[in-house]
Amino acid sequence: MHTSSSAVPPPQPALAPVQAAALLDGLLETAGDAVFRVAPDGVIHAAGLRARRLSGFEAGCSLVSLAHEIDQPALSNALAAAGHETVMVETRFRSGERDIWFELRIARLATGDAAPLLVIGRDMSAQHATEERLRHMATHDALTELPNRVLLSDRIRMVIANARRSGQGFAVVAVGLDGFKKVNDGLGHPLGDTVLQMAAVRLRRTLRDSDTLARVGGDEFVAVLPGTFTEPQIKLVTGRLMATLQSPFEAGGHTIYLGASIGVAIYPDHAEDEVRLVTLADAALSRAKETGKGRAVVYSPGDQSPPQHDISLEAAMFNAVREGEFLLYYQPIVNARSRIIEGFETLMRWKHPTLGMVPPARFIPIAESNGLINLLGAWALKAACMQIRQFQEVAGRELYISVNISPRQFRSDRFLTVLDDALALSGVEGRQLLLEITEGTLMIDPAHAEDILARMVERHARIAIDDFGTGYSSLAYLKRFPISVLKIDRAFVKDLPTSTKDAAICNAILDLAGHLSLSVVAEGVETEEQLTWLDDQGCHYVQGYLTGKPMPANVAITALKENLYTALLPADHRTGKS
């Protein structure tokens, strides 16, 4: 009888420590990018094939000597700290003409030989390159490769720090291409991008290496010029920048002529922080474009109108609409001879809970730019029509209400609908409504204006030209458009009757209005002398602080009840004598 048993392989002899270490090195060579066996003092006893390709490697050299000088202290400390736990450190090794980043894992093994430290290096070049690309993308404009706003702010902060130490000022220059929109609209955005790239190269070549040039959006660039702050220096640099952009651009088979407008802000004269410097340079650039283009303007306080991009104020405005903080005030329009109130001009006011009364010059431009003016204007028109009914009940006679129409309102497709709603809701006749429009609003699109005005007149509403003589002053529109009233701007009234030039202008307006059968209202009347002169010249209606400041509705009602302005008349006027 045979018994069967499983064959058990004979036990293999244990590897000697040196053999085990060699096997481990071989395995690691296939797994890692660079493998070293290192003595505690850092001397390399063995190295894998990839490791031996590093510059400076030779048998018996120090691992630390292969590292970049900046990284050597950290590597020495890591080797000294290697114990029972693995130590990790990043370092750069030279490989040919370039440095390669490695992540080193250093562990102490019980190998039983003179090189117990095992160093495994993982090549981090690709990861570092990716990180560098991401950093570049975050701080540079993708189209032109110039710094973007993020890096620009950082550079300006550095220049500010240096300027504070040296006591030297510097300039921030905003450069805008003139006529660039025609390139995008006429030739397409790809060709427009090509022109922007060419412009960036030209500007960069014009500046010094120490200057920073950034693209901040669209066709606008910003340059930071350390040490440039005197008038001759600024004229020289801005002249060169404009000249380099005046040469034609050859792109896509087209010859394109552009130009440049430039705005300049100076540290520390105009501002001492990077945000404000760029903002003021941009304000000066806007001024340069508004006043003819192709010129350089150094910032001055007059270049910046009341804040039109005050974000906190804009947010407060939307909240003000919800909270009902906007009010309507009414300024009397009176008969110059009898001083009887004929009507009221409606004026919008904003009573902020902490800021108090916010001037219209601050909030109206913001409302015009963000579209809120359409909502506010519609409310004002409807509320004014409702209010005039109460005024008439108190006065016991017919009055009219004058309402300002903003440019954006006038261009709105819903304007006529809002007008119809206001008249229908209030029951006011169209003839009792005077709509004030500026000359500039009419001349933006005369054909559209003519159509809308005709449809307003169909509703029997009257049209007034506000601030007559301060805008386009084209007499042709007086013939073309159905105008009923001219309002003489306060600029022509304030120096009457002593100013012969203002007197001549007012006389010309009154004479013109007489021949065209137009009514005239003189604004800004503050003295008896002004009122008497205007009355003598045949101006029938006035408004101003003399005959009534803008007032809340309840005060206006009191003025109507007590006939306050008639009480101011001389005795002979009260009896009807002239």
Side-chain angles (χ1 to χ4, degrees):
M1 182 176 179
H2 298 281
T3 58
S4 62
S5 60
S6 298
V8 179
Q12 298 295 317
L15 291 173
V18 174
Q19 291 175 310
L23 177 61
L24 183 60
D25 287 352
L27 292 172
L28 291 171
E29 175 69 18
T30 63
D33 292 308
V35 181
F36 302 89
R37 292 285 307 286
V38 181
D41 61 1
V43 174
I44 300 172
H45 280 235
L49 178 62
R50 292 183 182 88
R52 292 196 296 272
R53 290 174 181 162
L54 297 175
S55 298
F57 176 84
E58 57 184 28
C61 72
S62 168
L63 178 65
V64 176
S65 68
L66 302 181
H68 193 286
E69 288 181 2
I70 296 175
D71 301 327
Q72 288 181 3
L75 179 54
S76 295
N77 292 337
L79 290 170
H84 297 295
E85 295 184 359
T86 300
V87 177
M88 298 183 67
V89 65
E90 282 198 13
T91 190
R92 282 162 290 187
F93 289 137
R94 175 67 63 180
S95 178
E97 295 299 318
R98 67 189 184 98
D99 288 336
I100 301 177
W101 277 99
F102 279 93
E103 179 188 73
L104 303 181
R105 300 172 64 91
I106 306 172
R108 183 181 290 271
L109 305 177
T111 56
D113 60 13
L117 297 182
L118 177 66
V119 181
I120 303 173
R122 183 164 67 95
D123 188 344
M124 301 290 288
S125 301
Q127 181 174 327
H128 274 268
T130 299
E131 291 173 354
E132 181 58 33
R133 281 197 301 274
L134 291 174
R135 280 194 294 270
H136 185 84
M137 288 170 61
T139 57
H140 288 76
D141 172 54
L143 179 65
T144 62
E145 291 297 307
L146 292 174
N148 61 13
R149 285 186 182 274
V150 175
L151 186 54
L152 173 67
S153 293
D154 186 60
R155 295 276 178 86
I156 297 177
R157 284 193 293 269
M158 291 173 60
V159 177
I160 288 173
N162 291 333
R164 284 174 178 162
R165 286 193 294 269
S166 67
Q168 272 197 333
F170 68 91
V172 173
V173 177
V175 182
L177 300 184
D178 293 336
F180 179 73
K181 187 175 183 295
K182 69 185 179 186
V183 180
N184 277 342
D185 292 349
L187 302 176
H189 286 270
L191 195 139
D193 288 347
T194 300
V195 171
L196 286 173
Q197 290 170 329
M198 296 169 69
V201 170
R202 290 188 189 182
L203 291 170
R204 180 64 267 179
R205 287 176 178 169
T206 304
L207 299 172
R208 304 165 300 181
D209 291 340
S210 59
D211 300 330
T212 294
L213 179 68
R215 181 181 176 225
V216 295
D219 60 4
E220 187 174 337
F221 301 84
V222 171
V224 185
L225 314 176
T228 300
F229 59 95
T230 67
E231 184 177 346
Q233 289 172 329
I234 291 170
K235 280 186 176 180
L236 179 65
V237 176
T238 56
R240 288 174 177 171
L241 292 173
M242 284 194 291
T244 196
L245 295 176
Q246 284 173 346
S247 301
F249 293 84
E250 302 290 343
H254 299 275
T255 300
I256 301 164
Y257 289 88
L258 299 174
S261 296
I262 292 178
V264 183
I266 302 170
Y267 172 93
D269 298 2
H270 300 142
E272 297 188 28
D273 68 273
E274 74 279 5
V275 174
R276 189 74 176 146
L277 283 166
V278 174
T279 299
L280 298 186
D282 197 54
L285 171 60
S286 297
R287 181 66 175 163
K289 286 183 174 290
E290 289 168 2
T291 54
K293 302 183 179 180
R295 60 194 299 257
V297 171
V298 177
Y299 173 78
S300 66
D303 292 337
Q304 202 173 38
S305 56
Q308 296 187 21
H309 306 287
D310 187 331
I311 301 301
S312 59
L313 195 66
E314 184 174 38
M317 283 181 64
F318 282 97
N319 186 65
V321 172
R322 292 192 295 270
E323 299 298 326
E325 295 171 9
F326 285 98
L327 311 168
L328 291 183
Y329 273 40
Y330 302 89
Q331 185 169 31
I333 300 172
V334 308
N335 184 298
R337 179 60 55 90
S338 69
R339 303 203 192 194
I340 291 176
I341 297 173
E342 301 280 352
F344 292 89
E345 179 179 355
T346 306
L347 300 166
M348 195 176 299
R349 295 291 184 263
W350 176 14
K351 189 175 184 180
H352 190 278
T354 56
L355 298 175
M357 296 299 282
V358 182
R362 285 195 68 189
F363 70 81
I364 292 295
I366 299 176
E368 184 76 17
S369 66
N370 65 21
L372 192 58
I373 196 68
N374 285 329
L375 177 63
L376 291 173
W379 164 74
L381 185 57
K382 293 174 184 177
C385 288
M386 294 295 292
Q387 188 61 60
I388 197 64
R389 288 188 59 182
Q390 185 181 14
F391 288 164
Q392 289 183 150
E393 289 171 5
V394 170
R397 54 192 170 84
E398 187 170 289
L399 300 169
Y400 75 88
I401 194 78
S402 179
V403 181
N404 290 281
I405 304 301
S406 80
R408 189 157 183 162
Q409 268 183 287
F410 188 71
R411 295 194 301 270
S412 170
D413 293 337
R414 283 190 43 77
F415 174 66
L416 290 172
T417 302
V418 170
L419 176 59
D420 287 338
D421 289 346
L423 294 174
L425 182 67
S426 64
V428 167
E429 297 291 335
R431 67 175 181 275
Q432 297 171 252
L433 183 60
L434 181 67
L435 301 173
E436 297 191 20
I437 302 169
T438 64
E439 296 174 90
T441 300
L442 296 178
M443 301 311 292
I444 290 173
D445 185 349
H448 171 265
E450 189 171 16
D451 176 57
I452 296 299
L453 292 178
R455 295 165 73 181
M456 290 162 67
V457 171
E458 287 175 2
R459 292 153 171 83
H460 304 291
R462 294 184 298 147
I463 314 300
I465 299 299
D466 194 17
D467 302 337
F468 182 74
T470 63
Y472 287 79
S473 299
S474 171
L475 298 182
Y477 71 69
L478 294 179
K479 175 182 177 182
R480 179 175 182 179
F481 301 142
I483 308 300
S484 298
V485 179
L486 300 181
K487 299 196 75 174
I488 301 177
D489 186 73
R490 66 188 66 247
F492 304 127
V493 173
K494 65 183 181 68
D495 293 325
L496 291 177
T498 56
S499 171
T500 55
K501 289 184 178 179
D502 287 334
I505 291 171
C506 289
N507 271 322
I509 294 172
L510 290 166
D511 188 50
L512 178 68
H515 284 89
L516 296 176
S517 301
L518 303 177
S519 296
V520 177
V521 179
E523 299 179 298
V525 176
E526 298 183 356
T527 68
E528 287 288 348
E529 291 76 17
Q530 291 169 347
L531 179 56
T532 300
W533 186 90
L534 288 163
D535 183 23
D536 290 343
Q537 306 309 311
C539 180
H540 295 150
Y541 304 102
V542 298
Q543 69 181 99
Y545 280 15
L546 177 66
T547 54
K549 296 180 180 180
M551 58 190 72
N554 63 310
V555 179
I557 288 172
T558 301
L560 286 168
K561 282 180 178 178
E562 300 182 7
N563 210 3
L564 293 179
Y565 305 106
T566 304
L568 296 174
L569 280 170
D572 59 344
H573 281 235
R574 278 187 234 144
T575 59
K577 296 177 183 177
S578 56

